[in-house]
Every structure is written in C-alpha cells, then in structure tokens.
Amino acid sequence: MEFAGELSHMENGYSKGKESWNNGLRTAQNMSTSLLRKKSDPMLVSKLRFQMLRQFLANLQEVVLGTKLAVLFPAIPLAIAADFYKFGRPWIFALSLLGLTPLAERVSFLTEQIAYYTGPTVGGLLNATCGNATELIIALFALYQNKIHVLKYSLLGSILSNLLLVLGSSLLCGGLANLKKEQRYDRKQADVNSLLLLLGLLCHMLPLMFRYAAAPGIFIDDHSILQLSRASSIVMLVAYIGYIFFQLKTHRQIFESQEEDEEEEKAVIGFWSAFSWLVGMTLIIALLSEYVVGTIEAASESWGISISFISIILIPIVGNAAEHAGSIIFAFKNKLDISLGVALGSATQISMFAVPLCVVVGWIMRIQMDLDFSLLETACLALTIIVVAFTLQDGTSHYMKGVVLCLCYVAIAACFFVHKIPAPLDQTQVNLGLKPSSGFSA
Amino acid sequence: MASLQEPWLLEKGNLKGSSKEIRHGRTAHNMSSSSLRKKSDLTLVSKVRYGMLRQFLTNLQEVILGTKLSVLFPAIPLAVVADCYGFGRPCVFALSLLGLTPLAERVSFLTEQIAYYTGPTVGGLLNATCGNATELIIAIFALGQYKIDVVKYSLLGSVLSNLLLVLGTSLFCGGIANLRKEQKYDRRQADVNSLLLLLALLCHSLPLLFRLTGASAAVTNDPTLQLSRASSIVMLITYLSYLVFQLFTHRQLFEAQEESEDDEDGLPEEAPVIGFWSGFIWLIGMTTVISLLSEYVVQTIEAASDSWGISVSFISIILLPIVGNAAEHAGAIIFAFKNKLDISLGVALGSATQISMFVVPLCVVVAWIMGINMDLNFNLLETGSLALSIIAVAFTLQDGTSHYMKGLVLLLLYIVIGTCFFVSKTPLNQVNITNSETEIAIDKIFRV
C-alpha cells in the first residue's frame, strides 16, 4: 500500500516541506469539502500485476470515486449524449447542472492536492482563484455568448446564495444542534469580509444611481456608465489583491482554521497527475457550462419559470452544493469559524474578483458589460449585505439568526419567482434608455 | 380586609404556579404598564354590607379606577353621545381617540391578571397577541371599510412611534435622570429584535421595488400581490419561531430584571386582584368598547382631516399611534428613569416587532381571505422612513450602553419624519381609491 503512495511521491515534484505547514494551508474551504471525501481503499488495486496499471487505477479511484457526490458523475456522459442525440434542451440543461455538482467538488480537491506541492502561499492563491471556478466559467461563457443578463444574475445569485442560504442554514442547523452551548466565532474575519462586500455594493450602486440621477432631457451616455464600471472594477480588483495579501501574508492568524486533532494528510496523488486531472476537469466543466448557458432559455420556457429565477436561484444552488453541505456539517460540530470562512469567503471572492474580472474580460472582448445590475437586484444585494453584516457583528450565534437569514432568502426567491420580465430580443440594446426603467435591461 | 380578597381566589381557576413563576410571567410589557396602576383603596367599599355587592363594587373599582388614566374614561360615553346626536364628526373623532387611551391600558392590565391563572407561557403568548389589540382592531375595521391606506399608515406609524418616539423619549429621560451613572442593557435582546425588523424591511422593500422598476401598474399588480402574500406567510413563520425562541428555548435573554426584593423600587409581589372569569368578562367587554370606538375613528377620519386641515396620512401615521401607545409610552419612560433600560427596550422593541411581524402580515392574510387586495407596498416615502429608522435604531442599540444623546437623536428623527408627513399633502384624502390608482399618482410624482 505504501508502494502506490511512494510512486506518487516519486513523480515529478516531491512534496515540499513538512507537515507543519500542511496544517497552515488547510483553508476553511479545503477543510469543508474534505468532509465529503471517502478514504480510498487500495486493497482491490494491489492485486493487479502491472505497476503502471496499478498506479493509474489507484489514481483513478482516488480522483473519480473519492467523494460521496460521485453518484452524480454519470450525468456528464448523459448530458453529452443528450446533446448529441438531441433529446430535448431542458434535459440537457438539467443533466449539465447535475454533472457540474461533483465536478466543482473535485476541482476543489485537486486544487488542495496541488497545494501540497507548491507551498502554502501559492496554494492559498490557487484556492482564491479556483475556489469558485464553476461560477467563473459559467460567467465567461455567458459573456462570450453575449447573454449579459444571465451573467449578471448568476453572479449575483451566487453572492446571495452564499450570504443567505449557506450561512443561514449553517447557523440554523448549528444553533439547533447546540441549543445548550454558547456559540462563538471570531468576528474579525466576518468584519473584513463585510467591509469588502460593502465596497462591492458601493461600486454596484454608483452606476445604478448614475442612471437615475440624470435630469430629464440630459442624455446619459451609456459610455460614461461603462467607463465608471470599468474603473470601479479595477478598484475592486486592487481591493481583492490587498485582501489576498492581508489573508495570506500579514494577518494569517485571523483566518487560520481552528486546529484540533486533524489527521495528518499527505497528498494522495502526484503533482503532474493532479495537474492533468485539473486541466481535464476544467475542460469538462467548460463543456457543461456551455450547454447550460446555451439551453437556459429553452429550459425557462419549457418549465415556465423566468430566466432570472433560474440564474439567481437554481444555478447557484447547484454550483455551491458541495460547500453548502460541508458548511452545515461544520456548524453541527460547533466550528462556526469554518462555516463562516466558507460562506463569506466565497461571497467576497465572487463579488470582488469574479465580477470585476468579467467586466475586464468584457472590456478586452469589446462587450458592453457594466456593473449596473438593475434596481431590484441591487436593492436585494444591499439589503442582504446589511442584514448579514448586522447579524455577524456581535460574535455569537443562535438558531434565530439562521432562521431569519434563510427566510430572507425565501422572500428574495419568491420575489424573483413572480418577477416575470420579458426576455429582451436583442442583447445589445438593453442598456440604452433615458428613463430609469432599467428593469427591462434584464 | 384580607377576607375581601379571598372570594376572587375561590373563583374558578386556581392560581397556577408559585410566586416565582408568576414573576417570570411578568414580561417587560406587563411590568411597564403596571407602573400606571394605583393601589385600590378598599376601605370605601368595605362599608357596603352585602357580600356580593361588595365583591362587585371592588371589582369595578379595581378595574375602572385602577389607573391614573381613568380620568379619560368619561370620553367614552361622550363619544357615543356625540355620535348619536350628530354633534360633529371631528368631535366624535377626538373623543373616540381620547377614550381609546385608558382602554388600551386596561386591556393590558386584564391580560396580565389572566396570565396569573394560566401560567407564564400562555401568559406570554396572550401578551404577544393582545399586546397591541388597539392597533389590530383599528386596522381590521379600516380593512373592512376598504380604507387600505389608513391600515398601512396606522401600522407603519405604530412601528415608527415605538421605535423612535417611545424609545427616544425613554433613552432621553433616562439619560438625563441618570447623568452620573452608567446605563447598560443586554444587547442580545435588542439584536434579535433588530434582525427581525430588518427582515420585515426586506419584505416591505421588495414589492415597492417591483413598482419602481418602471413596468406599468397593470403588469406588476398581480406579482406584487402574490409576493406580498408569500412574504406575509414568511413573516408569520418568523414570528412563530421568535415566540418559540422567546418563551421556550432562550427565555433567559428576555427575562425582566429581577432586583433584590426588599428595595423600594422593586415591584411588590402582586397577587391577582380579580378572578379569572371576571377578568375574562371584563376583557371581552373592553374589547367590544374598543371596537366601537375604533369604528368611530375609522369612519370619521376623513371628516376630521378636512375640518382640521391636516392630511389623512399625518393623522394615521402620527396621531393615532401616539394615542394607542400612550400607556406603554408612559411606562417605558418611568422605567428608564429608574435605570431599568431592559424593560423600556423590551416594551418599545417588542411592540415594534409584534406589529411589523405579526399584525401587518395578519392584516394581509385577513385581506386575502376577505378578497381585498392589500399588499406590502407602503409607498416610497414611508418605506424610506421605515428603512432609515430601523437602521438608526439597530445602530444605536448595538453597543449595549445608553446616554441621553441617543434618545435625543431618535426623538429628533421622529420629529423630522412627522414634519415630512405634515407637509406632504399628497392626494390621499380620497382613501377609497384603490391602490393601483394611488400608485400611478405617486409614480408620476416620482418620475418628474
């Protein structure tokens, strides 16, 4: 059994360093998804003769079957078959969504494995960029297909889902499971994240208010809103880089997850196999995302629910499923710092990194993507951030906080469920207009 | 004199629980209004010979004369007389308002008496539902007469009055009276209430934003209504879990402060002074009189507004709630003077939470059953005032200490909002116009 392990070690790239900093880089996200792993059983594999085959199969078992979510893997070939044989576009949509769930989890696992070899800082950086790979790839595909509203809604929905659903259900379950104990967490981490989210909110509200502040008769050039959005995006990216520096270099101790007797884990696959698996999985994610973005209108018509509801509510629930489950499990064990790290960290990453990155990519591709997520969505975001900032600012928790956050999410979901705006025919003309009727820009 | 009190205890319904439990049933609400009670002087009555007559007169004295506000009781028959003889509708309005004030306080007293017999949990539940009986009854009458605007404004005004006026004056008076001492309170109770108010704000903002996103009223009417009804159910669920939280799992956060018993400021051990059934009968009677006066108020509000030259919105948002809350207001100030801020906060915040999370969604659900289109869209100006008030109060209360400057700021916020509604003479006098038309009018104002 050690033989298989040694071979992975001997592969190019020996593990750097000792176990001590392995602990250091177990960020909240890695720890939470590690709950969904199963320990592989290499016994079956050792019976085979050829070493290479054995190594390959052990590798395969570790990566493909190493999670409880692996039951959803068959959805991937089914989605490809459905697209090939033209089953029905809503089917392609549903199967692609199901297939994305385990892939998102596996990417997180592979990122963690690579991080064992590259050291804690690069590992943290990798996690910071790839942590929300699914949302980012979906967004880039939507951008490429010029479906700006899908892009905006899915990113917004991801933030709302992390802040209200994941956080709320964690606090609720944690509160119910620990009724008699006092639940505390370190509020400094929550404070930094709330502050960044407020900066993101400001950058979203300025283009929106710009549109409303025009005196009648003055034509608000779409160009100026675009310029403002691009400048704000650069500001947000600078803030995010500052946050990464803060989190990984100067103030690590605020973000260190609580170390109890964690078992010492070594990397289970080699560096290059992890790297190639990562590339492969990213390609599959890209394929499924293309299906999702391509078939979203068909699914919306066929199921009778608006595109905004699908983008804001359904897609993020799928994309966040793995983190969500891990967060709830840690809340049960009364380790709220980790749950908060997962939920808030994800929301901050999307709001301060994914969104401005899309604006910049749109700038390069000459697509008019701005930060104006119309009135209703921005107001939901504002109220959500205020509620969450207020909830987390005292450092204790009880189930009532979780109840309120979850019900806020239900209210917002109901709002988008009944909000049936007509889908625009031509994407490029949606952002024009003098009147503040930007509800139609969706 | 002891023998005089016993017949009550012999009445049906033995006292549940020991004195410790009775103390726990004394929520902040009850304790505050009990400060307005006077101890009855039973010597006059003891001169009457017959036992039954004596018992009845003691009962009467305890209930009717047991409060300092009973000077206002004559307004009730005067209001009825004014209505019968057609004196002048503004007169009927003013007299009904005056008559409602002591009645609200007596209902609270009777609820407390009944709670002695039913145990602390049911007592807490009773208080949670009947605590704002006056506002609820006025709202339901207005709903029945299709005056949806009056409903919305009176409930909104009640929330604003509790959050800014009652809380502000309490903190201000308490701060002035205790200049040298440090004033602390338990912030966890304030936190939970602020969180619930923020959820209510979210549920109010979403239907408003539907309207503001520019689509025509015809398109957004139905979704707004559906969303409002769904949000109301969400709010009622939240209120239920808040009750579970407050009465079962986390009682200790909400327990009124128990000081050491023998100091002169502490409340004396009170045994109930009237029997269970007489309390119950008085409660039903008083509720009927409240309904009568509320009906007068709702019917004559336009006439009063025309005759006095102030808008209906001002009367509904400012005047009605001041009257309805007068007793709680006085109690909250008295407890703030004694530096027992937890009780003042419990009264003010608890009332605001109850109205926004229970009474408002209940009205929407009742309107749904009655086939009336009431939604949660309380126009832009009102929702904006609500939002700023909630944020200001949440911020004020989040550090657990207090001084008079906090009270002064909240009070001045209320004065500014009152001035705003005083000068905004929007065409809301015709309260019988349905909502959609009013929305169009306000949209036009907004878009210019």
Side-chain angles (χ1 to χ4, degrees):
Chain A
M1 271 186 274
E2 289 96 17
F3 195 57
E6 267 173 34
L7 281 174
S8 335
H9 276 282
M10 277 163 52
E11 256 187 323
N12 214 345
Y14 44 86
S15 1
K16 283 211 188 122
K18 308 171 271 294
E19 291 93 24
S20 61
W21 56 257
N22 269 350
N23 283 339
L25 68 86
R26 291 182 73 78
T27 61
Q29 223 169 15
N30 286 339
M31 286 179 75
S32 106
T33 44
S34 69
L35 284 171
L36 290 170
R37 314 258 165 80
K38 323 186 279 198
K39 285 213 165 301
S40 306
D41 184 9
M43 289 288 282
L44 289 159
V45 190
S46 57
K47 291 180 190 157
L48 290 172
R49 268 194 217 196
F50 300 108
Q51 289 177 3
M52 289 291 287
L53 195 55
R54 197 185 308 173
Q55 177 183 347
F56 176 68
L57 285 174
N59 209 340
L60 196 71
Q61 183 180 15
E62 192 61 51
V63 174
V64 176
L65 298 179
T67 170
K68 293 171 191 151
L69 289 175
V71 291
L72 292 174
F73 265 124
I76 305 176
L78 278 179
I80 299 178
D83 182 56
F84 213 57
Y85 290 110
K86 309 247 177 290
F87 271 0
R89 293 165 77 72
W91 278 109
I92 301 176
F93 183 76
L95 289 169
S96 309
L97 275 191
L98 285 178
L100 277 173
T101 314
L103 282 174
E105 198 277 331
R106 290 286 86 195
V107 163
S108 152
F109 162 73
L110 290 167
T111 315
E112 184 186 333
Q113 297 298 307
I114 291 179
Y116 283 123
Y117 295 103
T118 59
T121 310
V122 179
L125 277 172
L126 261 183
N127 190 50
T129 34
C130 302
N132 285 296
T134 322
E135 282 92 349
L136 194 56
I137 292 177
I138 290 183
L140 289 173
F141 267 108
L143 191 64
Y144 181 67
Q145 293 185 19
N146 230 347
K147 296 187 186 178
I148 311 277
H149 56 295
V150 174
L151 161 66
K152 290 181 178 178
Y153 285 166
S154 67
L155 289 176
L156 178 85
S158 216
I159 300 176
L160 290 178
S161 153
N162 274 309
L163 285 180
L164 293 177
L165 188 63
V166 177
L167 192 61
S169 46
S170 311
L171 291 181
L172 175 62
C173 297
L176 287 176
N178 298 299
L179 262 182
K180 297 300 163 210
K181 300 179 218 166
E182 191 185 23
Q183 296 189 287
R184 291 187 160 273
Y185 53 88
D186 186 4
R187 62 169 290 192
K188 285 183 281 215
Q189 171 187 285
D191 278 349
V192 175
N193 280 308
S194 302
L195 204 54
L196 286 169
L197 287 169
L198 283 172
L199 172 62
L201 180 66
L202 178 77
C203 294
H204 282 295
M205 287 186 73
L206 287 176
L208 181 73
M209 292 193 291
F210 216 66
R211 210 182 271 281
Y212 279 91
I218 296 186
F219 180 69
I220 284 290
D221 191 357
D222 225 25
H223 195 59
S224 29
I225 295 185
L226 211 51
Q227 283 178 330
L228 174 62
S229 303
R230 288 168 176 169
S232 306
S233 306
I234 296 181
V235 166
M236 284 158 79
L237 286 172
V238 168
Y240 188 66
I241 293 174
Y243 172 66
I244 298 274
F245 191 69
F246 183 81
Q247 184 181 10
L248 297 177
K249 287 270 186 221
T250 58
H251 286 73
R252 284 191 82 93
Q253 64 275 11
I254 299 180
F255 296 89
E256 215 94 279
S257 32
Q258 289 157 335
E259 302 305 331
E260 308 230 333
D261 21 59
E262 304 292 340
E263 52 288 6
E264 291 297 328
E265 279 192 32
K266 297 193 282 282
V268 291
I269 53 177
F271 176 74
W272 284 114
S273 50
F275 193 73
S276 29
W277 273 113
L278 188 62
V279 171
M281 291 224 166
T282 311
L283 285 173
I284 301 182
I285 288 181
L287 182 65
L288 290 182
S289 306
E290 191 182 355
Y291 288 164
V292 163
V293 174
T295 59
I296 191 172
E297 290 94 352
S300 147
E301 281 169 30
S302 151
W303 294 343
I305 44 185
S306 56
I307 290 184
S308 47
F309 184 77
I310 294 181
S311 315
I312 295 187
I313 308 292
L314 286 187
I315 294 183
I317 290 183
V318 161
N320 277 340
E323 290 174 4
H324 195 167
S327 189
I328 293 183
I329 293 173
F330 272 105
F332 265 119
K333 298 182 186 174
N334 206 10
K335 291 190 186 171
L336 283 180
D337 281 292
I338 300 175
S339 300
L340 255 70
V342 168
L344 285 177
S346 229
T348 309
Q349 201 175 86
I350 294 173
S351 152
M352 301 300 283
F353 179 63
V355 171
L357 189 70
C358 289
V359 174
V360 169
V361 168
W363 193 359
I364 295 173
M365 290 163 69
R366 302 190 182 287
I367 297 176
Q368 287 190 334
M369 155 103 184
D370 59 18
L371 286 179
D372 174 15
F373 293 12
S374 44
L375 180 61
L376 186 59
E377 292 78 5
T378 312
C380 287
L381 184 66
L383 286 165
T384 303
I385 293 177
I386 290 175
V387 170
V388 170
F390 183 76
T391 306
L392 296 178
Q393 50 108 350
D394 70 337
T396 64
S397 161
H398 44 75
Y399 69 88
M400 199 62 201
K401 291 188 174 185
V403 169
V404 172
L405 290 179
C406 285
L407 290 178
C408 279
Y409 192 71
V410 169
I412 290 181
C415 172
F416 286 110
F417 189 74
V418 301
H419 185 51
K420 297 197 192 304
I421 35 157
L425 301 166
D426 185 340
Q427 314 302 331
T428 52
Q429 61 183 192
V430 295
N431 280 332
L432 295 174
L434 304 164
K435 297 194 295 184
S437 53
S438 51
F440 281 137
S441 74
Chain B
M1 263 192 276
S3 64
L4 284 171
Q5 296 183 4
E6 280 168 19
W8 287 229
L9 299 178
L10 292 177
E11 262 189 54
K12 230 171 144 191
N14 36 21
L15 284 173
K16 282 219 182 116
S18 55
S19 58
K20 194 161 167 22
E21 276 174 40
I22 292 176
R23 219 185 290 157
H24 285 184
R26 298 176 69 77
T27 60
H29 211 88
N30 286 341
M31 288 177 78
S32 103
S33 46
S34 68
S35 58
L36 287 171
R37 313 256 166 82
K38 322 187 280 198
K39 285 217 161 303
S40 308
D41 182 9
L42 294 169
T43 48
L44 287 159
V45 188
S46 59
K47 292 178 187 153
V48 179
R49 266 198 221 195
Y50 295 108
M52 285 293 286
L53 193 55
R54 197 187 309 169
Q55 180 178 343
F56 177 67
L57 284 175
T58 316
N59 211 340
L60 200 71
Q61 181 180 17
E62 192 61 46
V63 173
I64 303 250
L65 297 177
T67 170
K68 294 168 190 153
L69 289 175
S70 56
V71 292
L72 293 174
F73 263 123
I76 305 175
L78 278 179
V80 177
V81 162
D83 186 60
C84 282
Y85 288 108
F87 268 2
R89 295 165 77 72
C91 262
V92 177
F93 182 76
L95 289 169
S96 311
L97 275 193
L98 285 179
L100 276 174
T101 315
L103 281 175
E105 197 276 331
R106 291 284 87 195
V107 163
S108 151
F109 162 72
L110 290 167
T111 315
E112 185 189 330
Q113 297 296 311
I114 293 179
Y116 282 125
Y117 294 102
T118 60
T121 309
V122 179
L125 277 174
L126 259 183
N127 190 51
T129 34
C130 302
N132 286 294
T134 323
E135 281 93 347
L136 188 57
I137 293 176
I138 290 184
I140 294 196
F141 267 107
L143 207 57
Q145 296 185 19
Y146 287 90
K147 297 185 184 177
I148 311 227
D149 288 333
V150 174
V151 176
K152 289 183 178 178
Y153 291 151
S154 65
L155 292 176
L156 176 88
S158 218
V159 175
L160 287 178
S161 152
N162 274 309
L163 282 181
L164 296 177
L165 186 64
V166 177
L167 192 60
T169 45
S170 314
L171 292 181
F172 182 64
C173 296
I176 298 271
N178 296 297
L179 263 182
R180 299 287 156 228
K181 299 180 216 166
E182 193 185 20
Q183 296 189 288
K184 280 185 171 289
Y185 53 88
D186 186 3
R187 63 169 290 192
R188 286 173 297 178
Q189 171 190 289
D191 275 351
V192 176
N193 279 309
S194 304
L195 202 57
L196 289 171
L197 287 168
L198 283 172
L199 174 63
L201 178 63
L202 179 77
C203 293
H204 283 295
S205 310
L206 292 176
L208 174 71
L209 290 168
F210 260 25
R211 236 16 113 93
L212 290 183
T213 53
S216 70
V219 170
T220 55
N221 246 343
D222 236 7
T224 309
L225 209 52
Q226 288 173 345
L227 177 62
S228 302
R229 289 168 175 169
S231 304
S232 304
I233 297 181
V234 165
M235 287 203 274
L236 286 172
I237 294 176
T238 314
Y239 188 66
L240 279 174
S241 33
Y242 171 65
L243 285 181
V244 169
F245 183 80
Q246 185 182 10
L247 297 175
F248 291 105
T249 61
H250 288 75
R251 285 190 82 94
Q252 65 274 11
L253 288 181
F254 296 88
E255 216 94 272
Q257 282 163 338
E258 307 302 334
E259 308 233 333
S260 57
E261 286 340 299
D262 40 24
D263 81 293
E264 70 287 13
D265 281 337
L267 295 157
E269 281 301 320
E270 283 192 27
V273 293
I274 54 177
F276 177 75
W277 284 112
S278 47
F280 195 70
I281 295 172
W282 273 114
L283 188 63
I284 295 183
M286 294 226 162
T287 312
T288 320
V289 179
I290 288 180
S291 312
L292 183 67
L293 291 182
S294 308
E295 194 180 351
Y296 289 163
V297 164
V298 171
Q299 273 173 351
T300 57
I301 193 169
E302 293 97 346
S305 146
D306 285 338
S307 145
W308 296 341
I310 46 184
S311 57
V312 174
S313 53
F314 183 79
I315 294 182
S316 317
I317 297 185
I318 307 291
L319 285 188
L320 279 181
I322 290 184
V323 160
N325 277 338
E328 288 173 8
H329 195 167
I333 294 181
I334 292 173
F335 274 102
F337 264 118
K338 300 182 187 175
N339 204 9
K340 291 192 185 170
L341 282 180
D342 280 293
I343 300 175
S344 301
L345 254 70
V347 168
L349 285 177
S351 229
T353 308
Q354 198 178 88
I355 294 174
S356 59
M357 301 296 283
F358 178 62
V359 178
V360 171
L362 190 70
C363 287
V364 175
V365 170
V366 166
W368 191 1
I369 296 173
M370 290 163 68
I372 300 175
N373 286 348
M374 166 159 175
D375 59 18
L376 286 179
N377 175 16
F378 295 10
N379 313 319
L380 182 61
L381 190 58
E382 291 78 4
T383 311
S385 311
L386 185 67
L388 288 167
S389 308
I390 291 178
I391 291 176
V393 169
F395 186 75
T396 305
L397 296 179
Q398 51 108 357
D399 71 336
T401 64
S402 161
H403 44 74
Y404 68 87
M405 199 60 200
K406 288 188 175 181
L408 185 63
V409 171
L410 291 180
L411 201 51
L412 293 176
L413 272 172
Y414 189 73
I415 291 180
V416 171
I417 291 181
T419 314
C420 169
F421 286 113
F422 187 72
V423 301
S424 80
K425 300 200 192 297
T426 52
L428 289 166
N429 283 329
Q430 314 102 326
V431 290
N432 283 325
I433 301 178
T434 59
N435 254 349
S436 53
E437 295 186 44
T438 316
E439 286 307 328
I440 292 177
I442 293 187
D443 271 342
K444 284 188 185 147
I445 298 172
F446 175 77
R447 291 217 191 173
V448 162

